[in-house]
Amino acid sequence: DAGITQSPRHKVTETGTPVTLRCHQTENHRYMYWYRQDPGHGLRLIHYSYGVKDTDKGEVSDGYSVSRSKTEDFLLTLESATSSQTSVYFCATTQGGDTQYFGPGTRLTVL
Amino acid sequence: QKEVEQNSGPLSVPEGAIASLNCTYSDRGSQSFFWYRQYSGKSPELIMFIYSNGDKEDGRFTAQLNKASQYVSLLIRDSQPSDSATYLCAVDNTDKLIFGTGTRLQVFP
């Protein structure tokens, strides 16, 4: 398995506060992805990165931004958290752009 | 919009039976197909991938791909209670994957 960690693993925050989730990988994979998973919706892509400083939007990018200043780190920021962003967030990586390996997830609750 | 569809289940099978999980996709240009298993409260883990039409076997798992029918399936032989999980089908989409919503499998003793 790719060495992927996510922090924090659990977070409770209040509406309107900024939140940053971190994904760290030790595999030197080129591609990194942020998903959210909600009941009935499956995994939905928020943003992804195909290299340092190279990012693009996924299907549910509104309200989220990302940054990748180093190969190993991919940050997801909720500028002003809303209750609709309560979810489980997964990071995934791949070298070749197809087979993805997932981190352990972050459970975020926005009150 | 490109889609991947799965029956949400639950699919209930007795221990020792064959479980058959199915997935259809909309993009005829898709080349790579993946099955992930996700236990409750855990992250998805890759079980198998398949690129070519036909069958691919790995232990108790067989992936089947039919590009003409835009259909991919996963067979689990000799199902065990430990196979109880949600199975996610994923299809490639230019450096990304599109996931189905998953099929929940329950294997009862």
Side-chain angles (χ1 to χ4, degrees):
Chain A
D1 288 347
I4 306 170
T5 57
Q6 294 184 230
S7 59
R9 294 293 312 280
H10 301 271
K11 185 169 182 68
V12 179
T13 191
E14 294 188 349
T15 297
T17 60
V19 176
T20 295
L21 308 182
R22 181 184 183 232
C23 177
H24 179 78
Q25 55 122 343
T26 59
E27 300 297 315
N28 201 35
H29 283 175
R30 176 184 174 191
Y31 295 84
M32 299 184 74
Y33 305 83
W34 277 108
Y35 294 91
R36 61 178 290 174
Q37 187 173 40
D38 306 286
H41 290 280
L43 282 163
R44 292 182 293 174
L45 183 65
I46 304 172
H47 281 281
Y48 69 104
S49 170
Y50 45 95
V52 173
K53 298 194 188 323
D54 293 323
T55 64
D56 205 349
K57 296 180 179 179
E59 64 174 302
V60 290
S61 60
D62 287 350
Y64 302 94
S65 62
V66 290
S67 66
R68 192 170 178 199
S69 58
K70 298 185 290 185
T71 298
E72 57 266 36
D73 288 326
F74 192 32
L75 303 181
L76 177 70
T77 298
L78 291 65
E79 300 290 348
S80 178
T82 68
S83 58
S84 65
Q85 294 176 312
T86 292
S87 187
V88 179
Y89 291 85
F90 288 105
C91 173
T93 76
T94 180
Q95 178 56 28
D98 52 19
T99 306
Q100 294 183 15
Y101 300 94
F102 284 82
T106 293
R107 184 172 296 275
L108 176 67
T109 301
V110 183
L111 301 176
Chain B
Q1 184 169 344
K2 299 173 184 177
E3 294 181 341
V4 177
E5 297 196 356
Q6 297 180 256
N7 188 315
S8 62
L11 173 66
S12 293
V13 301
E15 184 174 357
I18 296 175
S20 178
L21 304 162
N22 305 313
C23 172
T24 60
Y25 59 95
S26 64
D27 183 9
R28 190 169 289 278
S30 297
Q31 297 293 318
S32 306
F33 307 86
F34 305 85
W35 284 100
Y36 286 82
R37 176 177 62 199
Q38 187 175 25
Y39 292 112
S40 181
K42 302 296 185 181
S43 58
E45 56 179 327
L46 180 70
I47 299 176
M48 291 188 70
F49 58 85
I50 186 168
Y51 301 141
S52 304
N53 272 332
D55 295 359
K56 179 181 179 182
E57 186 173 318
D58 183 0
R60 295 188 296 114
F61 299 97
T62 299
Q64 299 176 317
L65 175 61
N66 184 327
K67 290 186 178 180
S69 301
Q70 296 175 241
Y71 178 94
V72 58
S73 64
L74 180 69
L75 302 179
I76 305 175
R77 290 183 299 279
D78 188 22
S79 295
Q80 301 297 310
S82 59
D83 294 325
S84 298
T86 297
Y87 290 79
L88 305 174
C89 172
V91 176
D92 77 293
N93 178 28
T94 314
D95 295 339
K96 303 185 292 293
L97 294 180
I98 300 175
F99 285 84
T101 54
T103 298
R104 188 156 65 94
L105 173 66
Q106 295 178 334
V107 181
F108 56 91

